[in-house]
Amino acid sequence: MPMLNKFAILAALGLPFFGGTAPAQAQFSVCNQSFDVVNVAVGQLNRGAFRTRGWWKIGPNQCANVIRDPLDTRYIYVFAKDVFGKEILSGAVSMCVAPDRFVIDGEQDCLVRGYLDAPFIEVDTQDTERWTLFIAARPE
């Protein structure tokens, strides 16, 4: 999984989030432990088809609740870029995004439908109902 701009993913080393410090309704949260603002999009299976949503602007040392319902699918897909458009999290799963806030059904033919392709990472939530993904700056 390529990572750009000296960032790393820390999915709590694969551990689900059970702590009491997250808001009670958070089912899938993304926490930004870097020094930069990041824009995040998520994708998940929804009634047999993929749906992507974005953007959540997450400041340094802040979290965003990107999925509020209990997780009912094992895999969540995440794409992140900085405020200058440079990819922060870049994976191998191609899904659709748009320049502004969006909800897009389907991951096929993004460009034909007027969207952009983005390389999402796959996050294995291990069939838990809650998960927190951490984006952190890599030590130099």
Side-chain angles (χ1 to χ4, degrees):
M1 164 181 27
M3 287 180 264
L4 304 174
N5 200 17
K6 297 184 181 178
F7 282 85
I9 309 167
L10 298 176
L13 297 176
L15 300 175
F17 178 76
F18 293 112
T21 59
Q25 297 299 317
Q27 304 304 321
F28 188 86
S29 296
V30 177
C31 294
N32 178 9
Q33 295 181 323
S34 75
F35 300 111
D36 299 310
V37 174
V38 296
N39 293 303
V40 173
V42 297
Q44 72 183 112
L45 202 55
N46 181 48
R47 297 184 180 143
F50 283 102
R51 172 178 282 171
T52 54
R53 292 180 293 134
W55 296 102
W56 285 267
K57 185 178 281 190
I58 307 172
N61 296 312
Q62 294 184 4
C63 297
N65 305 325
V66 298
I67 299 174
R68 295 186 181 275
D69 297 324
L71 300 178
D72 60 0
T73 182
R74 180 173 179 164
Y75 298 100
I76 303 296
Y77 300 86
V78 182
F79 174 72
K81 61 183 183 174
D82 66 16
V83 293
F84 303 106
K86 186 169 184 141
E87 294 176 1
I88 302 301
L89 298 180
S90 181
V93 180
S94 182
M95 293 189 173
C96 304
V97 297
D100 297 316
R101 277 198 131 337
F102 64 90
V103 175
I104 302 170
D105 289 319
E107 78 282 8
Q108 302 289 327
D109 302 318
C110 298
L111 297 174
V112 172
R113 296 188 298 146
Y115 303 119
L116 303 169
D117 281 313
F120 283 65
I121 64 162
E122 182 178 79
V123 178
D124 183 352
T125 66
Q126 301 176 6
D127 282 329
T128 61
E129 290 185 354
R130 292 182 167 186
W131 194 269
T132 298
L133 177 74
F134 295 91
I135 301 172
R138 266 193 198 178
E140 294 192 30

